């Protein structure tokens, strides 16, 4: 704790990208398992690689390194999520507008959400970004960035239900709208937090509510960056950022 110098655990310390498995190129999402294996969405290499603790090179986990639509291919993977009970990895296959599931023993994935072309109807996804696996409901919360909403897709279902944002994919600035969201998470009580990127804010949604409350906005974030205090309410508790 308190260290200000980072240690490179995947990719190259000199910040160079490349195609071979000891390099990354435009990495985005990561998950870490209980054995300290790091799964990385290596976006611009169209693959997911896994780096074991202390390794000098990664191993191919999903994708082939060439963009495509086959079950063993990805096209710019973004977010990752993991189901620890089954050791399964879910991948937001951004440019293919789908979510894929991969097991440890199979290099080909299984389609679990989307895959019906890009669009805004309830069987489609549009540039899915981050994902969150909700074990209590056996579902995925999907940041449907291109449609400006967060959707819940129960595993095994053929369509999503709306969790936040506009059901028709319309961007906006009101408390019921989002604009190009990029991340989502739940707290232990099931409340939802959304990074509403192009509205420069973090939105809080109580359980089963689609009307959000802004708990952090750009003005507050800028104050934190320059070292000024910023009061913020989070889950009913008063927090002071200094």
């Amino acid at each position: 704790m308190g260290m200000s110098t980072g240690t490179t655990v995947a990719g190259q310390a000199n910040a160079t990208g490349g195609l071979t498995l000891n390099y990354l190129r435009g990495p985005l999402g990561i998950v870490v398992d209980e054995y300290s294996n790091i799964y990385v969405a290596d976006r611009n290499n169209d693959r997911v690689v896994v780096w074991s603790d202390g390794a000098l090179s990664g191993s191919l986990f999903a994708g082939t390194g060439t963009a495509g639509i086959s079950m063993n291919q990805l096209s710019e993977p973004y977010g990752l999520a993991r189901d620890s009970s089954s050791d399964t990895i879910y991948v937001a296959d951004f440019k293919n507008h789908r979510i894929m599931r991969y097991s440890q023993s199979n290099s080909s994935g299984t389609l679990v959400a989307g895959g019906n072309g890009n669009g805004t109807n309830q069987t489609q996804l549009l540039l899915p970004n981050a994902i969150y696996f909700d074990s209590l409901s056996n579902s995925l919360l999907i940041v449907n960035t291109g449609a400006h909403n967060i959707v819940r897709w129960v595993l095994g279902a053929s369509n999503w239900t709306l969790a936040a944002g506009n059901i028709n994919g319309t961007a906006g600035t009101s408390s019921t709208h989002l604009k190009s969201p990029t991340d989502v998470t739940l707290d232990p009580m099931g409340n939802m937090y959304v990074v509403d990127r192009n509205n420069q804010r973090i939105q809080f949604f109580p359980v089963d509510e689609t009307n959000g409350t802004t708990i952090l906005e750009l003005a507050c974030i800028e104050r934190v960056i320059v070292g000024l205090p910023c009061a913020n309410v989070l889950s009913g508790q008063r927090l002071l950022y200094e």
Side-chain angles (χ1 to χ4, degrees):
M1 297 295 291
M3 295 180 64
S4 59
T5 302
T7 300
T8 301
V9 295
Q12 297 298 306
N14 64 2
T16 56
L19 302 176
T20 57
L21 286 169
N22 59 327
Y23 286 91
L24 299 171
R25 202 158 61 98
L28 283 174
I30 61 170
V31 293
V32 182
D33 68 16
E34 59 269 30
Y35 304 106
S36 298
N37 297 311
I38 304 170
Y39 297 81
V40 184
D42 192 9
R43 181 189 61 177
N44 291 338
N45 281 327
D46 302 299
R47 66 192 183 192
V48 175
V49 292
V50 56
W51 290 63
S52 59
D53 189 20
L56 298 178
S57 182
S59 299
L60 187 66
F61 179 76
T64 63
T66 301
I69 62 173
S70 298
M71 291 295 103
N72 67 336
Q73 291 181 299
L74 299 167
S75 184
E76 293 195 19
Y78 268 55
L80 302 178
R82 180 172 179 263
D83 176 2
S84 59
S85 67
S86 61
D87 202 12
T88 297
I89 301 292
Y90 295 94
V91 181
D93 194 4
F94 187 73
K95 286 290 186 68
N96 282 331
H97 313 286
R98 65 188 184 184
I99 308 298
M100 301 293 291
R101 177 174 60 207
Y102 290 87
S103 65
Q104 297 292 335
S105 59
N106 196 337
S107 60
S108 287
T110 301
L111 177 69
V112 296
N116 296 307
N118 66 84
T120 59
N121 74 49
Q122 289 176 263
T123 65
Q124 295 177 305
L125 296 173
L126 183 57
L127 301 175
N129 191 326
I131 44 179
Y132 180 93
F133 174 66
D134 181 10
S135 60
L136 292 179
S137 61
N138 195 38
S139 67
L140 296 171
L141 282 171
I142 302 170
V143 180
N144 202 21
T145 299
H148 310 289
N149 54 29
I150 310 296
V151 300
R152 183 183 294 275
W153 202 301
V154 176
L155 295 174
S158 58
N159 60 276
W160 52 257
T161 57
L162 184 70
N166 182 269
I167 196 168
N168 297 314
T170 302
T173 60
S174 76
S175 60
T176 59
H177 284 79
L178 301 168
K179 190 174 183 181
S180 298
T182 56
D183 207 356
V184 65
T185 193
L186 298 180
D187 67 19
M189 295 173 287
N191 301 308
M192 184 170 64
Y193 302 82
V194 177
V195 178
D196 191 11
R197 182 184 62 187
N198 286 357
N199 279 329
Q200 323 293 340
R201 65 190 184 185
I202 308 299
Q203 292 293 90
F204 168 73
F205 296 87
V207 178
D208 296 328
E209 295 288 336
T210 57
N211 190 23
T213 300
T214 301
I215 60 170
L216 193 64
E217 55 190 347
L218 181 61
C220 185
I221 296 169
E222 289 173 339
R223 288 177 66 84
V224 172
I225 290 172
V226 298
L228 296 174
C230 178
N232 178 46
V233 177
L234 179 60
S235 296
Q237 296 181 345
R238 191 77 175 175
L239 302 179
L240 183 64
Y241 295 88
E242 297 181 313

